[in-house]
């Protein structure tokens, strides 16, 4: 019976060892399942954080685009307001030229002198109105030639003046605020 008892003890030890091994294996499987769940959560968290960062970046870019668009629109509105009379004044430049030509006519009679005086009054009021809108005559004669505001149509030689100086103004030029409406046609010293 001792042998049986010993066998029973051995069998119990084997059963206990197997049970302990099974428990250890189960706990390892459970830890792996738990780790894989934690890893899944960490992966999902990393994915969500990346998406959030992308959306924040997208939001910032959209906001910057919107601010730039608003700023451009504001500048366009200001320019439109500043140069609102540009088309009208450009159309009036030939009228001003014709008035100036009419005023250069020499009068021989009292009648023509009174007509010229009337033309001169209309011309002055037209000049005043255009100046209120910001139209200015470009000064040319005696000035250094500037290709941004002068258009050289001919060259002459005058030894008394420096090279590159405007000798004669052939047609007046005009500036509206800071924009050239028409450059001055000039003759430049060689």
């Amino acid at each position: 019976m001792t042998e049986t008892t010993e066998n029973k003890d051995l069998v119990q030890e084997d059963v206990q060892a197997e049970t302990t091994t099974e428990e250890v294996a189960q706990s390892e499987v459970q830890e792996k399942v738990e780790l894989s769940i934690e890893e899944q959560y960490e992966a999902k968290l990393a994915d969500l954080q990346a998406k959030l960062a992308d959306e924040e970046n997208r939001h910032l870019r959209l906001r910057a685009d919107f601010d730039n668009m608003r700023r451009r629109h504001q500048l366009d509105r200001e320019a439109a307001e500043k140069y609102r009379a540009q088309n009208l004044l450009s159309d009036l430049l030939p009228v001003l030229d014709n008035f100036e030509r009419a005023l250069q006519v020499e009068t021989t009679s009292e009648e023509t002198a009174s007509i010229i005086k009337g033309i001169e009054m209309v011309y002055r009021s037209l000049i005043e109105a255009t100046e209120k809108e910001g139209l200015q005559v470009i000064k040319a004669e005696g000035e250094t030639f500037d290709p941004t505001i002068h258009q050289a149509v001919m060259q002459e030689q005058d030894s008394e003046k420096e090279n590159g100086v405007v000798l004669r103004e052939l047609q007046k030029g005009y500036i509206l605020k800071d924009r050239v409406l028409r450059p001055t046609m000039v003759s430049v010293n060689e």
Side-chain angles (χ1 to χ4, degrees):
M1 206 69 149
T2 14
E3 234 177 86
T4 320
T5 311
E6 280 179 20
N7 280 341
K8 280 185 183 177
D9 286 338
L10 283 175
V11 169
Q12 279 182 347
E13 284 177 16
D14 284 342
V15 169
Q16 283 178 351
E18 285 178 19
T19 306
T20 307
T21 306
E22 285 177 13
E23 287 175 0
V24 168
Q26 282 180 354
S27 70
E28 286 177 1
V29 168
Q30 201 170 22
E31 283 179 20
K32 284 182 183 177
V33 169
E34 286 176 8
L35 285 178
S36 66
I37 290 174
E38 285 178 15
E39 288 173 353
Q40 288 175 359
Y41 283 137
E42 286 175 7
K44 186 152 184 130
L45 178 64
D47 185 44
L48 290 174
Q49 286 174 338
K51 284 181 182 178
L52 177 64
D54 287 344
E55 289 299 318
E56 285 176 345
N57 191 15
R58 184 174 163 265
H59 171 73
L60 290 175
R61 276 188 265 121
L62 285 173
R63 186 169 181 166
D65 286 346
F66 179 74
D67 288 343
N68 290 338
M69 183 190 68
R70 186 176 35 181
R71 196 174 310 113
R72 263 192 314 268
H73 182 67
Q74 179 67 25
L75 292 174
D76 289 346
R77 263 190 289 145
E78 288 172 2
E81 177 62 28
K82 185 175 182 181
Y83 302 111
R84 73 185 186 287
Q86 181 175 347
N87 290 335
L88 175 63
L89 292 174
S90 293
D91 292 342
L92 286 177
L93 295 182
V95 175
L96 292 175
D97 293 338
N98 289 334
F99 269 113
E100 289 171 3
R101 282 189 209 101
L103 292 173
Q104 290 174 355
V105 172
E106 292 192 27
T107 59
T108 53
S109 69
E110 201 173 296
E111 245 178 59
T112 34
S114 65
I115 290 173
I116 295 294
K117 188 174 183 179
I119 291 173
E120 189 176 318
M121 289 179 0
V122 172
Y123 174 72
R124 265 192 258 125
S125 58
L126 183 59
I127 290 294
E128 288 173 10
T130 57
E131 285 176 350
K132 283 181 186 175
E133 287 297 320
L135 187 71
Q136 298 174 348
V137 176
I138 298 172
K139 293 185 181 13
E141 213 166 298
E143 301 285 323
T144 303
F145 177 76
D146 181 358
T148 59
I149 58 173
H150 300 132
Q151 179 181 3
V153 291
M154 61 190 302
Q155 290 184 334
E156 296 177 318
Q157 193 149 4
D158 186 352
S159 59
E160 295 177 9
K161 299 198 178 179
E162 296 178 25
N163 286 344
V165 172
V166 174
L167 296 177
R168 285 189 301 147
E169 178 181 88
L170 304 172
Q171 183 183 38
K172 281 188 179 179
Y174 295 92
I175 293 178
L176 175 62
K177 302 193 178 168
D178 58 354
R179 210 179 257 182
V180 176
L181 285 185
R182 181 174 76 188
T184 305
M185 287 181 154
V186 295
S187 173
V188 181
N189 192 22
E190 289 181 348

